[in-house]
Amino acid sequence: MADARMNSPTMNAAERPTKPSAQPNALANHLAAAREEERERIARDLHDILGGHLVAIKIETALLAARLEAEPLRRRARAIQKLLDDALATVSRLTRELRPGILKDFGLGAAIECQAEDFAQRTGIACRIVCADHDIQLPQHAAVALFRIFQEALTNVCKHAQASQVAVRLTQEGDEVLLEVSDNGRGLTAADIDKPRAFGLRGMRERLDELGGRLELHPCHPSGTRLRVAIPLAAAEGSGAERCKGAQPQ
Ligand SMILES: Nc1ncnc2c1ncn2[C@@H]1O[C@H](COP(=O)(O)OP(=O)(O)OP(=O)(O)O)[C@@H](O)[C@H]1O
Ligand SMILES: [Mg+2]
């Protein structure tokens, strides 16, 4: 384990700073940009091709349903229309997640709020935004990285925490941007953090290494987990990336 504190018997969560001196490197930034480009292409295909087909099937089904006379058949047609509506809603949500246009147009604070609303609606877990600073000035690649970390944090809450509530805080403090995601679930252990086949937390650390940031995991009281991410503005600046209000996934 990288941090001796993780072995403390009193700890049921862990803090594991990433390398503070890590310099953002050009290759890592290039790979992150390529990943975002790929997501954007998939989002476009999902929306334009799959979404288009689903709408066409919906129209055909409605035309067919209008000609049906027997009630059992009409009921079947209504069931198909309901499934199509669900599929269209899923395409729309996936498109938003893959290509958070709101991040580009309205900035990180708005994108975080929108994602939290989607999450609450989809999972039934109340997601409260304690604070989402809309004036945060991060370079685009750092904002995209933070947004992806937020998505994985919410996914983890949904998959593992058995929580009923999540609180989110996005602030700029001094020369750092801080994101906190706190849940009231079962909490996590040092063993959870070191699972060999788990990639979510590892991916967060890798993204943060590239930005010279850090990830901390703390227990919440009386129960739950607080995930805390810090990105130094200065370190992110060092990458030479263009500073902008939000982010522009390529
Ligand atoms: N909010 C949370 N509450 C409780 N346990 C958590 C929470 N977040 C993560 N964990 C635990 O930490 C482990 C590691 O999380 P991580 O995101 O790295 O992997 P994963 O979610 O299991 O798999 P993957 O992200 O690769 O699909 C999880 O398997 C889970 O046991
Ligand atoms: Mg995960």
Side-chain angles (χ1 to χ4, degrees):
M1 290 184 191
D3 189 332
R5 278 168 297 178
M6 286 175 63
N7 289 322
S8 156
T10 57
M11 289 226 45
N12 64 359
E15 169 180 346
R16 181 181 294 191
T18 55
K19 293 171 246 165
S21 60
Q23 288 299 315
N25 82 53
L27 177 63
N29 286 341
H30 174 76
L31 290 175
R35 255 192 329 254
E36 288 303 322
E37 224 169 82
E38 181 70 357
R39 282 171 191 254
E40 180 146 347
R41 189 190 58 72
I42 295 169
R44 224 174 13 243
D45 285 355
L46 261 181
H47 179 268
D48 297 351
I49 302 174
L50 187 58
H53 285 327
L54 286 172
V55 169
I57 297 170
K58 199 176 139 120
I59 292 168
E60 293 294 331
T61 311
L63 290 172
L64 191 67
R67 303 176 73 124
L68 296 175
E69 283 172 10
E71 181 49 27
L73 292 179
R74 292 168 76 95
R75 211 169 32 241
R76 274 275 160 80
R78 280 198 297 275
I80 294 172
Q81 284 170 320
K82 166 80 176 63
L83 287 171
L84 284 168
D85 283 340
D86 289 351
L88 275 165
T90 303
V91 165
S92 163
R93 177 176 59 76
L94 288 176
T95 305
R96 277 201 303 281
E97 284 179 3
L98 283 164
R99 184 177 193 252
I102 191 168
L103 190 58
K104 174 178 174 183
D105 299 332
F106 297 101
L108 189 58
I112 294 263
E113 282 175 353
C114 180
Q115 186 70 22
E117 271 170 37
D118 267 5
F119 171 82
Q121 212 169 34
R122 196 170 73 251
T123 62
I125 301 171
C127 196
R128 193 163 53 98
I129 304 281
V130 180
C131 168
D133 188 339
H134 280 231
D135 290 326
I136 283 175
Q137 305 282 314
L138 267 182
Q140 64 176 43
H141 70 292
V144 171
L146 200 53
F147 184 76
R148 297 299 180 207
I149 288 171
F150 180 58
Q151 286 179 310
E152 171 60 16
L154 289 183
T155 301
N156 275 351
V157 171
C158 175
K159 266 166 71 178
H160 308 295
Q162 293 153 21
S164 60
Q165 281 176 16
V166 180
V168 179
R169 179 190 291 272
L170 173 72
T171 52
Q172 186 169 328
E173 284 178 24
D175 59 356
E176 287 187 326
V177 174
L178 299 177
L179 173 69
E180 284 184 359
V181 181
S182 310
D183 68 62
N184 66 346
R186 66 171 174 84
L188 51 68
T189 62
D192 285 330
I193 293 162
D194 277 333
K195 281 185 183 168
R197 286 169 189 240
F199 294 100
L201 296 176
R202 188 171 303 147
M204 290 184 195
R205 287 194 202 101
E206 284 170 7
R207 286 183 185 276
L208 290 164
D209 278 349
E210 289 161 17
L211 298 166
R214 66 181 189 280
L215 169 68
E216 299 167 9
L217 292 159
H218 299 283
C220 279
H221 297 288
S223 70
T225 305
R226 171 169 300 126
L227 175 143
R228 196 166 187 271
V229 170
I231 296 182
L233 287 166
E237 253 170 36
S239 70
E242 191 188 336
R243 186 160 292 272
C244 61
K245 179 178 169 66
Q248 293 161 11
Q250 297 76 17

